[in-house]
């Protein structure tokens, strides 16, 4: 894994930030009107489980869990990509042995899920889910296929930009992050209410991966770096 000495910690957040996490109810993202809490959250004391659990071992992971292109007999359709990065806390400490999971649509913009009735074809050689553990320095790596954009019913002619869902579970249940990763230069970002829910552009940019040739597999796959930060001022929740 290439080092990150050329990358300042959390560089997007130099200066004051008006609002770091997206609001629980954002009218442009219509389903939040029904499922978003409208009362203040009730803070409960943290018990031992929230501070020390869960614990994962490498024996729980399959050999190909982090390579979504090898999980079936055939080769999936689409552009092969590598996504790699580091998981850190908001004070800059790496998070080793964090469970990192991803799920995504296929190259045509369709999920392998019975509720996804998008007319795009399914790919019998791509399930769209993987997982891995970070190493001692908090680094992770996946090999997958670039997802396609897809229409959704939030508003007229609404399309979700290409994205990948991530779940990170660190050293305790309190270190949990569920977010989305987007690709640089996507024209759909400016009209996507999920991405635009946070008013601060610098915070939104924490959800955009960057092309990084150090992660390329020459002649086979393009490389992207996506670092994630755990904590109240870290990577925004989806």
């Amino acid at each position: 894994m290439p080092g990150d000495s050329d990358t300042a910690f959390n560089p997007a957040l130099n200066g004051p930030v008006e609002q770091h996490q997206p609001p629980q109810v954002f009218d442009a993202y219509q389903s939040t009107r029904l499922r978003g809490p409208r009362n203040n959250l009730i803070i409960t004391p943290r018990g031992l489980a929230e501070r020390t659990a869960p614990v994962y071992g490498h024996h729980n992971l399959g050999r190909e869990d982090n390579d979504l292109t090898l999980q079936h007999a055939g080769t999936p359709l689409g552009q092969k990509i590598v996504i790699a990065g580091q998981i850190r806390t908001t004070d800059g400490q790496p998070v080793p042995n964090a469970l990192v999971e991803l799920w995504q649509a296929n190259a045509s913009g369709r999920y392998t899920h019975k509720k996804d009735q998008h007319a795009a074809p399914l790919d019998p050689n791509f399930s769209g889910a993987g997982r891995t553990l970070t190493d001692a320095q908090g680094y992770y790596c996946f090999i997958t296929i670039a997802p396609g954009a897809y229409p959704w019913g939030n508003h007229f002619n609404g399309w979700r930009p290409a994205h990948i869902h991530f779940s990170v579970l660190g050293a305790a249940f309190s270190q949990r992050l569920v977010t989305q990763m987007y690709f640089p230069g996507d024209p759909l970002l400016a009209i996507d209410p999920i991405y635009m829910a946070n008013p601060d552009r610098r915070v939104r940019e924490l959800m955009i991966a960057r092309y990084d040739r150090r992660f390329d597999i020459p002649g086979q796959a393009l490389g992207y770096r996506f670092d994630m930060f755990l904590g109240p001022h870290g990577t925004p929740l989806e």
Side-chain angles (χ1 to χ4, degrees), residues 10-18 20 200 202-203:
N10 224 352
L13 301 185
N14 295 325
V17 173
E18 176 185 351
H20 199 94
D200 195 297
R202 297 165 299 167
V203 175

Side-chain angles (χ1 to χ4, degrees), residues 4 34 38 55 74 95 117 122 136 140 142 151 178 182 190 212-214 224 233 238:
D4 63 344
L34 298 176
R38 296 184 178 275
V55 176
V95 182
Q117 298 300 309
L122 289 170
Y140 73 92
F142 287 99
V178 179
Y182 301 95
D212 192 329
R213 295 194 68 184
R214 295 176 296 177
Y224 290 89
H233 298 291
E238 68 172 17

Side-chain angles (χ1 to χ4, degrees), residues 14-122:
N14 295 325
V17 173
E18 176 185 351
Q19 180 176 329
H20 199 94
Q21 292 294 342
Q24 297 290 335
V25 179
F26 185 61
D27 282 341
Y29 183 12
Q30 294 185 15
S31 65
T32 65
R33 302 174 189 174
L34 298 176
R35 59 182 172 86
R38 296 184 178 275
N39 297 321
N40 293 331
L41 299 179
I42 299 175
I43 305 300
T44 58
R46 292 181 180 178
L48 184 63
E50 286 79 18
R51 296 193 301 268
T52 62
V55 176
Y56 297 101
H58 288 271
H59 64 278
N60 292 326
L61 301 180
R63 293 177 55 190
E64 298 167 352
D65 281 4
N66 73 322
D67 190 338
L68 283 67
T69 69
L70 296 178
Q71 295 175 351
H72 297 271
T75 302
L77 299 173
Q79 170 65 58
K80 182 184 289 189
I81 61 174
V82 176
I83 303 172
Q86 189 182 31
I87 309 298
R88 285 179 275 178
T89 62
T90 49
D91 60 2
Q93 298 301 308
V95 182
N97 293 312
L99 178 66
V100 185
E101 301 171 292
L102 68 75
W103 61 99
Q104 63 171 96
N106 65 20
S108 298
R110 186 171 178 182
Y111 290 92
T112 306
H113 194 283
K114 62 183 180 181
K115 290 188 176 181
D116 188 343
Q117 298 300 309
H118 180 24
L122 289 170

